Amino acid sequence: MRLHHRWIFLVFFTTWINSYSWAGEYHLGEGYPVGNANIAGYINLVAESPKDGEAQLVGDDFSLFGRASFDKYFNPFFEVEVSGVTFWRESGTLFSNNNPDVVLERLYNDSYLTDNLSFRIGKMLTPVGEWNTIHAAPLVWTTTRPMTTYRSFPEFTSGLALNYEPQNGKLPEVQVFWQPTSELRPIPKTLVTREYLHTVGAHLNWAKGLTDKVGISLQHADVNNLDESQTLLGLNVRKALGKFQFETEVTYTHIEGQNPARVRDNEWGAYWLGGYAINDKWLVMARYENFADRDVRQGSRNALLGFVWHPDPAIAWKVEYVKQKGVRLDISSGIFASFSVLF
């Protein structure tokens, strides 16, 4: 974990390049296969018109990720993202007010110990809920991300994980993870609510069919630069009933320590999201969320109504209207739209 992240990335990427002996056929959304590796990514362009801010067009995510499979023990994966590229802002000109961030989101290796058990080391997405592990814009329903899916816990874990996938469908998938110190190349502070240390947790997921699932999350972490530690309990559910789809996520976090800025010791969030498939390309959706942050006395609520158009399974056009009430945290009232493609 103490190796410099640039050297780790260089070793992984060089291994991929040297392994490319032939190229496969390309299909949109499936990545580009080359030998025993696959290079893929996604683009997310977002147009925002908030009532309490300036309209802008932003390249929210330009993500590139790749994986390779060599044997049971060496199966590396990486994801690098450029975010916050401002193409236009109401008070400026084209490409003004530009300060993009380059983020190392994932860099890990999987070793398959048995047919059901794998060991992961490196930087990975924290398995809390479902949204955070999916996270790619073309695969999620809305342009605005619910605060419940990231605000109370670290989005990334740098350390070790054991992943269990049962052959018996009655047993849950289990992910156990541990971050011994700090995050490998931490996400810029402008993109996170707070930083975490010494994270440990587990996620259990019961899956039924292609869509239905129930997950339970448990996590403990220390908050960096604050006399604060926390324990989180989460629940996520997804259910399909014909043309209707529903998902919800709830997190409850108990905080301890002597942080004078904290006004409550129990932080919680919950959202409900429902969608109706008009046909195989159009989806209409509605969402409601309530989030009670630890540092403010008043809760934050938002309601959303929107549409999604999928001309191709790997392409999503989204437009939504959001109404926000209470204290404003990360979500504003206004109209938001996006175009995303998985390549």
Side-chain angles (χ1 to χ4, degrees), residues 46 52 65 69 83 100 105 134 136 145 152-153 157-158 178 197 213 226 243 248 265 281 285 297 301 304 317 335:
V46 177
D52 56 355
F65 49 87
S69 180
S83 62
E105 290 208 333
I134 295 175
R145 180 172 177 174
S152 293
F153 60 89
T157 295
S158 297
W178 173 51
L197 302 170
K213 59 185 63 178
L226 292 175
K243 291 188 175 183
T248 185
D265 293 334
K281 298 185 183 299
M285 59 193 173
R297 296 190 180 278
R301 303 176 300 280
L304 176 152
W317 293 84
I335 298 174

Side-chain angles (χ1 to χ4, degrees), residues 3-314:
L3 289 175
H4 198 284
H5 66 272
R6 292 180 181 174
W7 283 106
I8 300 175
F9 179 78
L10 181 60
V11 171
F12 277 28
F13 192 73
T14 302
T15 304
W16 265 305
I17 294 299
N18 291 336
S19 71
Y20 294 167
S21 57
W22 68 89
E25 184 178 355
Y26 175 76
H27 299 282
L28 186 65
E30 299 180 5
Y32 188 69
V34 185
N36 53 6
N38 184 280
I39 301 295
Y42 67 91
I43 297 172
N44 187 39
L45 305 178
V46 177
E48 303 177 350
S49 182
K51 287 189 175 180
D52 56 355
E54 297 178 322
Q56 59 180 358
L57 177 64
V58 180
D60 185 58
D61 293 313
F62 297 94
S63 180
L64 179 69
F65 49 87
R67 68 170 67 246
S69 180
F70 295 98
D71 53 37
K72 289 178 58 177
Y73 302 108
F74 188 42
N75 302 279
F77 181 94
F78 77 89
E79 180 178 6
V80 179
E81 177 181 285
V82 179
S83 62
V85 179
T86 304
F87 295 107
W88 170 82
R89 184 171 291 173
E90 190 174 6
S91 63
T93 58
L94 290 175
F95 299 102
S96 65
N97 306 311
N98 225 330
N99 189 26
D101 293 296
V102 179
V103 178
L104 176 65
E105 290 208 333
R106 289 183 277 180
L107 181 64
Y108 61 76
N109 180 71
D110 281 333
S111 297
Y112 298 99
L113 307 180
T114 69
D115 292 339
N116 306 102
L117 186 66
S118 64
F119 172 72
R120 180 172 294 177
I121 181 170
K123 184 173 182 179
M124 65 203 80
L125 293 168
T126 304
V128 172
E130 182 184 15
W131 190 297
N132 195 58
T133 55
I134 295 175
H135 97 286
L139 304 179
V140 296
W141 287 14
T142 61
T143 299
T144 54
R145 180 172 177 174
M147 293 178 288
T148 305
T149 66
Y150 65 90
R151 194 171 172 90
S152 293
F153 60 89
E155 297 178 59
F156 307 94
T157 295
S158 297
L160 312 175
L162 279 175
N163 302 319
Y164 172 71
E165 295 186 7
Q167 293 179 343
N168 185 342
K170 296 182 180 180
L171 296 176
E173 301 169 357
V174 181
Q175 296 169 288
V176 180
F177 56 95
W178 173 51
Q179 177 175 294
T181 56
S182 60
E183 185 180 321
L184 177 67
R185 192 180 181 186
I187 303 300
K189 293 182 179 181
T190 56
L191 301 179
V192 295
T193 306
R194 53 187 64 90
E195 296 179 331
Y196 298 87
L197 302 170
H198 314 129
T199 304
V200 62
H203 178 75
L204 281 70
N205 179 66
W206 288 265
K208 183 178 181 180
L210 296 176
T211 58
D212 296 357
K213 59 185 63 178
V214 176
I216 297 175
S217 303
L218 180 64
Q219 186 192 71
H220 181 81
D222 296 329
V223 183
N224 193 21
N225 297 322
L226 292 175
D227 179 18
E228 209 169 64
S229 63
Q230 64 176 55
T231 301
L232 176 144
L233 180 64
L235 171 70
N236 62 279
V237 179
R238 178 186 281 260
K239 179 67 176 178
L241 296 171
K243 291 188 175 183
F244 290 94
Q245 299 179 59
F246 306 93
E247 70 174 48
T248 185
E249 188 168 333
V250 181
T251 59
Y252 175 84
T253 307
H254 178 69
I255 307 108
E256 296 179 330
Q258 303 299 318
N259 179 12
R262 191 174 70 248
V263 299
R264 68 175 86 218
D265 293 334
N266 299 305
E267 178 178 84
W268 66 273
Y271 80 89
W272 176 91
L273 176 61
Y276 175 76
I278 300 173
N279 53 42
D280 61 348
K281 298 185 183 299
W282 284 94
L283 175 74
V284 60
M285 59 193 173
R287 186 185 79 202
Y288 180 79
E289 180 182 30
N290 196 344
F291 193 89
D293 190 85
R294 69 190 70 180
D295 295 332
V296 293
R297 296 190 180 278
Q298 188 180 17
S300 179
R301 303 176 300 280
N302 63 86
L304 176 152
L305 182 64
F307 293 88
V308 180
W309 177 47
H310 285 284
D312 183 276

